[in-house]
Amino acid sequence: MKRKNTKRVPSFRKLLRTSKIKLDNKLKNKQYKQQSAVKKYRKEQKKLRQAVRDAVRKKPFPLEDNKKKHKEREEEEEDEALPLDMMDEDDLQLMEDLARKASFLTRDISSTEPVHIKKRKRDSVIEKYEKIPRRVNAEPEKELIHLLPIKDKSGIIPQTMEKPVPDVADDEEEDTEEMEVTEDFNEEPPPVLTPEEMAAQRKIKLQERKMHIAALASAILSDPENNIKKLKELRAMLMEQDPNVAVIVRKLVMVSLMEVFKDIAPSYKIRPLTEAEKATKVKKETQKLREFEEGLVSQYKFYLENLEQTIKDWKQRKLKKSNIISLKAYKGLAEIAVKCLCELLVALLHFNFHNNIIVLIVPLMNDTSKTISDLCCEAVKKLFKQDKLGFASLGVVKVVSGLVKGRNYNVRPEVLEVFLHLRIKEVELKKDAEDIAPKKKFMTFKEKRKHLSRMQRKWKKAEEKLERELLEAEASESKEKKLKLHTETLNIVFLTYFRILKRAQKSPLLPAVLEGLAKFAHLINVEFFDDLLIVLHSLIASDDLSYRESLHCILSAFQILSGQGDVLNIDPMKFYTHLYKTLFSLHAGGTNDDIGIVLQCLDVMLAKRRKQVSQQRALAFMKRLSTLALHVLPHSSIGILATNRILMQTFPKMDLLLDNESQGSGVYLPELDEPEHCNAQNTALWELHLLQRHYHPTVQKFAAHLAVGAPAEGSGALSLDLSKRPATELFEAYNMKGMTFNPPVPSVTPRRKDTFSHMDSFLNQELNEQLQQHASKTVSHKTLDFAKHLKESSLS
């Protein structure tokens, strides 16, 4: 029995441990061996062909012909031969003995082989010819056809021709075609299924795949360490080949794998083992955990590569050779792949390959497909809100900045709008109060020796050791590390903003830049304040901006001046004048949404800078805002009146506008664009009387409250719900985006819904009026009876 030479298949763990370089070397060695074997075989074949050609050229003569030729030669040379009488008797005897041997006649004279060699080999020419190597796969001998000979001076020349051989390959093809035809006749054609049967068959297949996916996923979730190999089996279903269910199965597998990875991924990053750690012997539990982590990371990597390849195929409009899935279906697959990547981006901030996911997602924020772009932008916003440390946010900001610069600022505005959701301001001001507290300092050795006794020093040492261990166990990020990350992130954000302000002022990205500057302006370095204010004012003066963009410029300028810019001696009168001049651009139409930004500007410009604002300026803004409240929607009117209430409580002598008598000289000039010189103290807030008759109850309350001087207590005071909330919050709370009245009007349900239900209230009103007239004796009894009769008939 011969032993089979079967090569052992390497285990899964060994494949995971094998490095990429080693696998490449193995592949190269295998290819080199194959090439060497092919070359060797070619050389052997070449030698065989050469040997056969040599044998054909040196074809040996038959033995009889050789003897005849030898005799003829002897006869020809008899005349020239020496006479026998001149030879010795011994030489003559030797010649006769040699003549009797066949070897003497057939021996090749040119050969150097001795005559009296041992007869291990036979010297016949035929046997030498037999010993010439033959071809292994010799072609079949061709038959010859003898033709008429040709005669010339040398003699008769025989003529032959090769017999034509029919092509075997053609015959085989014809035979196979004939066999296929006969088989087609023999086999029965497949039954033609109706659409209902095809749908039922597809439903059965799909149900089987679903059950298989569910079984694999539940097995992995129940025991991840022992069933980690099933991840590979589940991932293999991403290559489903059945065209009837391929699209749905691949989508289900993508989502299932995403949920599985979210569930079984540990809360730490898995690092690769060093050579020293691999060589060290460990416990079985540790080895099992290592194998699980290695398998998890490798399968997670392959899964991300599959998602990336799906998106690339769709982006490049490529299809696989099998064409199982159409190009239209590939778009749905790509959307599911993007959703999975977005979920993993937000859920696995701490796990491996997170930066790779960021590099995949950020360019898709600028995709032409609005669905995919919105998915990626929402995922990045969630990431910014959930990132407490700042590592992931810094990575995203770096990639976004590189994308904007690489595309030459030709990106969608939504790409830059995600910067507005960074948590830098909240984290620094509110979230880390425990980190802002002064750090506890431990006493030095000299201080201990000077102030403490020996026993106290001993206890103090033990106490400090315990406190250090507790600080290490907290595993919380220090304030310095967070501030460093936030500073680096903001530097990249401002660098992107300043590049756009400098090089792409007419870009559609400018509104997002101005909005971002308004949000983070208080964190800008003081050195840039002068240049930035000059740029903002030049943008406003250029008249190339929309109204909303100019509002963002004003808000950015005052955010700068309200923060670290308090120390600067700058009078932003130009910004006050521009806002005052453009307030009447707002109305109840499309610009109504910009009132939220206006309220923010007014809060920063007037309330927070009350020491730098004159009384004339405050009176002019209050009068113009009261007029504007008549032209906008109810929630905008509430926000404006709430701002007027703050102005009335902040600045003294604002009740001048509640008096009819003029103060000082001059007449109010409402058309003048300079708030300082329009003589607003000589007018009155007559708009409040109209607003007290507004259809919105909250507007009525605010107008009545302002008409009596906005008291904090008493009968004219507002409720706590309205008085404690800022104007911007009231603007959002009473918003009418859903085209519904806010607060809703209580509706009275009718008793019966019939065609005469709308007449019920009308008749009730008419009846009451007639009853009143009857009481005053102005109508006859017949009319009253007729009205009662109408009411009863309508109710019945």
Side-chain angles (χ1 to χ4, degrees):
M1 292 288 291
K2 288 185 179 180
R3 189 177 180 181
K4 291 183 179 179
N5 186 14
T6 56
K7 192 173 181 181
R8 188 177 179 184
V9 179
S11 62
F12 181 70
R13 186 177 70 188
K14 189 173 181 181
L15 283 175
L16 288 176
R17 287 184 174 181
T18 307
S19 65
K20 186 178 179 182
I21 298 173
K22 193 172 180 181
L23 291 173
D24 292 341
N25 291 338
K26 282 186 176 180
L27 181 61
K28 288 179 182 177
N29 292 337
K30 187 177 179 181
Q31 292 175 352
Y32 177 73
K33 287 180 180 178
Q34 291 176 354
Q35 292 174 0
S36 301
V38 171
K39 288 181 180 178
K40 190 176 179 181
Y41 177 74
R42 287 176 180 170
K43 286 182 180 179
E44 291 177 356
Q45 293 294 322
K46 190 175 181 181
K47 287 181 181 179
L48 289 172
R49 287 194 295 270
Q50 187 64 34
V52 171
R53 282 196 292 268
D54 293 344
V56 171
R57 281 196 222 104
K58 299 178 181 180
K59 187 173 180 181
F61 294 99
L63 187 59
E64 296 177 357
D65 296 345
N66 200 3
K67 286 181 180 180
K68 289 179 181 179
K69 286 185 179 182
H70 190 64
K71 286 179 181 179
E72 290 175 359
R73 274 190 212 137
E74 286 180 354
E75 291 175 357
E76 290 175 358
E77 293 175 0
E78 276 182 357
D79 299 333
E80 299 177 1
L82 292 173
L84 296 177
D85 56 349
M86 293 180 65
M87 298 176 64
D88 294 338
E89 293 182 0
D90 297 335
D91 296 335
L92 185 60
Q93 185 64 33
L94 178 62
M95 292 293 291
E96 290 176 356
D97 294 336
L98 290 173
R100 294 190 189 99
K101 296 180 180 178
S103 62
F104 178 75
L105 296 175
T106 58
R107 183 168 177 253
D108 190 2
I109 305 299
S110 63
S111 175
T112 57
E113 190 178 20
V115 179
H116 304 290
I117 192 168
K118 292 183 179 179
K119 295 188 177 181
R120 287 175 298 182
K121 302 178 183 178
R122 300 189 66 182
D123 295 334
S124 64
V125 180
I126 296 174
E127 288 192 6
K128 282 185 179 180
Y129 178 73
E130 289 292 333
K131 290 180 181 179
I132 294 173
R134 295 168 173 80
R135 288 187 182 179
V136 179
N137 297 323
E139 296 180 359
E141 293 184 0
K142 298 178 180 180
E143 297 182 9
L144 298 177
I145 300 173
H146 295 280
L147 303 176
L148 294 173
I150 299 173
K151 185 177 181 181
D152 60 355
K153 295 179 180 180
S154 60
I156 296 173
I157 302 173
Q159 296 292 314
T160 58
M161 185 183 71
E162 295 180 0
K163 187 177 181 180
V165 181
D167 194 356
V168 180
D170 295 342
D171 293 344
E172 289 179 356
E173 289 179 1
E174 292 176 0
D175 294 340
T176 53
E177 289 177 0
E178 291 176 359
M179 291 292 291
E180 288 176 359
V181 171
T182 54
E183 287 177 0
D184 292 340
F185 282 116
N186 293 332
E187 291 181 1
E188 295 180 359
V192 179
L193 299 177
T194 62
E196 292 80 7
E197 292 174 347
M198 292 175 66
Q201 190 176 3
R202 180 177 177 275
K203 189 176 181 180
I204 294 170
K205 287 182 182 179
L206 193 58
Q207 189 65 25
E208 291 175 356
R209 303 293 197 283
K210 287 181 179 179
M211 293 299 294
H212 189 48
I213 293 169
L216 290 174
S218 60
I220 295 167
L221 294 176
S222 61
D223 192 0
E225 293 187 2
N226 293 328
N227 296 325
I228 191 65
K229 292 183 180 179
K230 292 189 177 180
L231 263 179
K232 185 177 181 181
E233 186 179 350
L234 182 58
R235 188 176 58 81
M237 294 184 71
L238 285 172
M239 299 294 113
E240 176 65 42
Q241 299 299 318
D242 192 345
N244 293 327
V245 296
V247 177
I248 297 178
V249 169
R250 293 187 186 188
K251 289 180 180 180
L252 292 173
V253 174
M254 283 182 187
V255 178
S256 302
L257 280 171
M258 181 260 296
E259 294 294 339
V260 168
F261 282 121
K262 283 169 60 177
D263 200 348
I264 68 175
S267 58
Y268 54 87
K269 191 173 183 179
I270 300 173
R271 62 174 181 83
L273 298 175
T274 61
E275 295 298 330
E277 289 174 341
K278 290 179 181 178
T280 307
K281 290 185 178 180
V282 293
K283 295 180 181 179
K284 289 183 178 179
E285 292 80 6
T286 308
Q287 184 64 29
K288 189 176 181 182
L289 179 62
R290 285 182 178 180
E291 292 176 2
F292 166 72
E293 289 178 346
E294 289 176 358
L296 177 62
V297 170
S298 63
Q299 293 302 319
Y300 186 58
K301 178 185 175 184
F302 293 145
Y303 172 62
L304 293 179
E305 288 175 352
N306 287 335
L307 295 181
E308 180 186 8
Q309 191 60 43
T310 302
I311 297 170
K312 281 184 178 179
D313 291 342
W314 172 68
K315 292 289 289 181
Q316 297 172 1
R317 302 296 190 268
K318 287 184 179 179
L319 288 177
K320 302 296 181 184
K321 292 181 180 179
S322 56
N323 288 332
I324 293 172
I325 299 176
S326 63
L327 188 61
K328 186 177 180 180
Y330 245 97
K331 183 180 179 182
L333 275 179
E335 288 181 1
I336 296 296
V338 171
K339 285 182 182 179
C340 294
L341 286 173
C342 292
E343 287 288 333
L344 295 173
L345 177 75
V346 178
L348 300 181
L349 288 172
H350 54 278
F351 199 54
N352 300 53
F353 309 114
H354 191 260
N355 289 333
N356 302 75
I357 299 176
I358 291 173
V359 173
L360 284 174
I361 289 294
V362 169
L364 294 174
M365 293 166 60
N366 192 40
D367 195 78
T368 53
S369 173
K370 192 174 185 302
T371 305
I372 291 179
S373 177
D374 293 344
L375 278 174
C376 297
C377 291
E378 289 299 323
V380 173
K381 291 175 185 177
K382 287 181 183 177
L383 173 67
F384 285 156
K385 290 178 182 178
Q386 295 183 10
D387 185 21
K388 297 179 181 178
L389 305 180
F391 289 107
S393 299
L394 178 60
V396 173
V397 168
K398 284 182 178 179
V399 179
V400 170
S401 178
L403 176 70
V404 173
K405 185 180 178 183
R407 298 286 178 89
N408 197 17
Y409 313 106
N410 186 20
V411 296
R412 295 163 62 100
E414 289 84 356
V415 177
L416 281 185
E417 287 175 2
V418 297
F419 287 164
L420 301 174
H421 297 267
L422 286 166
R423 288 189 63 197
I424 293 174
K425 184 177 179 180
E426 292 89 4
V427 169
E428 285 186 347
L429 296 181
K430 300 177 182 178
K431 302 295 181 183
D432 294 324
E434 66 275 9
D435 290 341
I436 297 170
K439 211 172 185 179
K440 187 172 182 180
K441 294 182 179 179
F442 297 107
M443 295 178 68
T444 60
F445 179 73
K446 289 183 179 180
E447 290 175 348
K448 290 178 185 176
R449 191 162 187 174
K450 185 177 180 180
H451 300 290
L452 301 176
S453 64
R454 185 176 179 182
M455 185 58 68
Q456 287 175 337
R457 288 200 300 271
K458 188 175 180 180
W459 281 103
K460 192 71 176 176
K461 184 178 179 182
E463 184 181 351
E464 288 179 357
K465 184 180 179 182
L466 180 62
E467 287 180 358
R468 285 193 182 94
E469 290 177 355
L470 288 174
L471 287 174
E472 291 176 359
E474 281 181 3
S476 60
E477 296 295 324
S478 64
K479 176 190 171 184
E480 292 80 8
K481 197 169 185 179
K482 284 185 178 181
L483 287 177
K484 185 178 179 181
L485 287 170
H486 294 160
T487 304
E488 188 177 355
T489 305
L490 270 179
N491 287 339
I492 299 172
V493 171
F494 286 137
L495 181 63
T496 307
Y497 286 165
F498 294 158
R499 279 176 181 164
I500 295 172
L501 283 176
K502 184 179 179 181
R503 302 177 184 176
Q505 291 188 357
K506 295 185 178 180
S507 169
L509 300 177
L510 192 61
V513 171
L514 296 173
E515 194 171 353
L517 285 174
K519 181 178 177 64
F520 302 114
H522 62 286
L523 301 172
I524 300 176
N525 198 340
V526 183
E527 300 172 358
F528 302 107
F529 280 2
D530 290 336
D531 296 335
L532 192 56
L533 286 173
I534 292 171
V535 171
L536 292 175
H537 183 263
S538 65
L539 286 172
I540 291 175
S542 65
D543 292 334
D544 293 333
L545 303 180
S546 64
Y547 184 66
R548 189 181 184 88
E549 293 169 2
S550 64
L551 290 177
H552 282 307
C553 282
I554 296 170
L555 184 58
S556 302
F558 282 97
Q559 288 282 9
I560 292 170
L561 296 175
S562 64
Q564 303 175 42
D566 286 339
V567 297
L568 301 176
N569 189 15
I570 298 175
D571 185 18
M573 188 60 198
K574 297 175 182 177
F575 296 104
Y576 281 102
T577 304
H578 181 78
L579 181 63
Y580 181 81
K581 179 174 63 176
T582 57
L583 275 178
F584 285 148
S585 301
L586 300 168
H587 50 77
T591 59
N592 189 78
D593 293 336
D594 297 336
I595 292 180
I597 307 172
V598 171
L599 296 177
Q600 295 178 32
C601 292
L602 293 170
D603 182 49
V604 179
M605 295 166 67
L606 300 175
K608 292 183 179 179
R609 290 176 58 87
R610 54 183 175 272
K611 293 181 180 180
Q612 290 88 3
V613 178
S614 64
Q615 184 179 353
Q616 293 292 332
R617 196 181 302 174
L619 288 170
F621 269 99
M622 189 171 180
K623 173 62 179 175
R624 183 153 288 196
L625 288 172
S626 299
T627 308
L628 180 64
L630 298 171
H631 305 152
V632 293
L633 293 178
H635 63 286
S636 302
S637 299
I638 293 170
I640 291 171
L641 293 177
T643 303
N644 281 348
R645 176 178 176 273
I646 294 171
L647 294 178
M648 194 170 285
Q649 293 177 349
T650 303
F651 293 92
K653 298 183 180 180
M654 296 295 288
D655 54 351
L656 294 173
L657 297 177
L658 301 177
D659 194 357
N660 291 332
E661 297 181 2
S662 60
Q663 302 289 330
S665 60
V667 181
Y668 174 60
L669 303 173
E671 71 279 358
L672 193 65
D673 294 333
E674 294 291 336
E676 296 284 349
H677 308 292
C678 65
N679 298 324
Q681 73 276 4
N682 294 326
T683 186
L685 296 178
W686 53 267
E687 295 88 357
L688 296 178
H689 296 282
L690 294 177
L691 291 171
Q692 288 182 41
R693 294 172 176 80
H694 199 277
Y695 63 88
H696 199 286
T698 311
V699 176
Q700 295 177 11
K701 291 178 183 178
F702 267 100
H705 174 67
L706 292 174
V708 294
E713 297 177 352
S715 59
L718 288 175
S719 62
L720 290 176
D721 182 41
L722 297 176
S723 61
K724 296 295 182 182
R725 300 165 79 178
T728 53
E729 187 177 340
L730 289 169
F731 173 76
E732 293 294 335
Y734 289 94
N735 202 340
M736 299 175 65
K737 287 182 179 178
M739 298 304 293
T740 56
F741 194 77
N742 191 4
V745 178
S747 59
V748 180
T749 56
R751 286 172 294 178
R752 288 187 61 186
K753 293 183 179 180
D754 52 11
T755 55
F756 297 100
S757 60
H758 65 282
M759 296 179 61
D760 190 12
S761 59
F762 173 74
L763 289 173
N764 282 332
Q765 186 178 359
E766 290 292 328
L767 182 60
N768 291 333
E769 290 178 356
Q770 291 181 11
L771 286 172
Q772 290 176 1
Q773 292 175 0
H774 177 68
S776 59
K777 298 179 180 181
T778 57
V779 71
S780 63
H781 293 285
K782 293 182 180 179
T783 308
L784 183 61
D785 294 339
F786 178 70
K788 286 183 180 179
H789 176 69
L790 278 176
K791 181 179 178 182
E792 290 173 359
S793 61
S794 65
L795 291 175
S796 61

